[in-house]
Amino acid sequence: SNALLTVRVPSPDFFDDFDPGVDWTQWSAYGGSIQANSYGGSVSGSRSLWFGGYGSRYVTTRSLNTAGGGLIRFSLRLGDGFGLNWEQVDLPLKGVVLEGSTNAGTSWSEIGSYDVPEFTVWSQIETTIPAAAQSRTTLFRWRQLANDGDCCDHWALDDVEIVLGPTPPAIIQAPADRNAGVGGTATFRVVADGAP
């Protein structure tokens, strides 16, 4: 028989698509030169957050209450060109990491690492907030491991979204096909994950 599935899409607790510019109410710190522009293209709208300049390149969110868990979604692209504003990132040493801090930025734990050529095209990344990054005052930071200065190793972020609260349900293993004779029994099994 039929079953009804209602999907509720929660509104994000944190969001920036960098159009028409950076929403500075969402961010607490940055390093290097960052601009909302089209140097690396974009996923939505006409702008993404471009990273260049000298020194450490990073951007840090405002403090978020992640005690109930949640999801982080964002799109990332590493430079793959030879122009002044979109020079190729030297991988893996100059890749980008996503980090979390539960002590106001005193120490950081790595959540994800993006240092392979597949990220030279726009890639949407989604990850659950790990237990090590769940607190009442969590910061998230996207940081480049190293760069060769203003001329080089550019990258960009777009559509950064953080949804707080229970992790939505997801099917981990779908039911497999079964054969049964007339009058026999067929048992289907599904494995799901996520908070109720």
Side-chain angles (χ1 to χ4, degrees), residues 105-126:
T106 301
S107 61
W108 296 88
S109 59
E110 186 176 298
I111 297 170
S113 178
Y114 315 101
D115 60 0
V116 293
E118 285 78 9
F119 293 110
T120 58
V121 297
W122 280 110
S123 303
Q124 185 178 44
I125 298 156
E126 180 175 306

Side-chain angles (χ1 to χ4, degrees), residues 13 65-72 128-131 133-135 140 162-167:
D13 298 276
N65 182 349
T66 63
L71 291 171
I72 304 168
T128 57
I129 296 172
Q134 293 179 17
S135 77
F140 295 102
I162 300 173
V163 179
L164 301 176
T167 305

Side-chain angles (χ1 to χ4, degrees), residues 66-132:
T66 63
L71 291 171
I72 304 168
R73 291 186 191 103
F74 61 96
S75 292
L76 171 73
R77 184 175 181 203
L78 303 178
D80 65 343
F82 298 98
L84 178 64
N85 297 315
W86 197 243
E87 198 267 341
Q88 186 170 350
V89 173
D90 300 323
L91 298 173
L93 298 177
K94 295 172 184 164
V96 173
V97 293
L98 168 60
E99 301 168 312
S101 175
T102 59
N103 56 13
T106 301
S107 61
W108 296 88
S109 59
E110 186 176 298
I111 297 170
S113 178
Y114 315 101
D115 60 0
V116 293
E118 285 78 9
F119 293 110
T120 58
V121 297
W122 280 110
S123 303
Q124 185 178 44
I125 298 156
E126 180 175 306
T127 185
T128 57
I129 296 172

Side-chain angles (χ1 to χ4, degrees), residues 56-58 95-99 141-145 155:
S56 180
R57 297 176 184 168
Y58 66 90
V96 173
V97 293
L98 168 60
E99 301 168 312
R141 176 173 73 177
W142 286 262
R143 179 177 63 89
Q144 189 170 30
L145 299 174
W155 56 289

Side-chain angles (χ1 to χ4, degrees), residues 145-178:
L145 299 174
N147 68 76
D148 288 329
D150 193 44
C151 67
C152 306
D153 305 308
H154 303 112
W155 56 289
L157 287 174
D158 204 2
D159 297 341
V160 178
E161 176 180 7
I162 300 173
V163 179
L164 301 176
T167 305
I171 293 176
I172 305 301
Q173 180 181 358
D177 293 342
R178 297 284 187 243

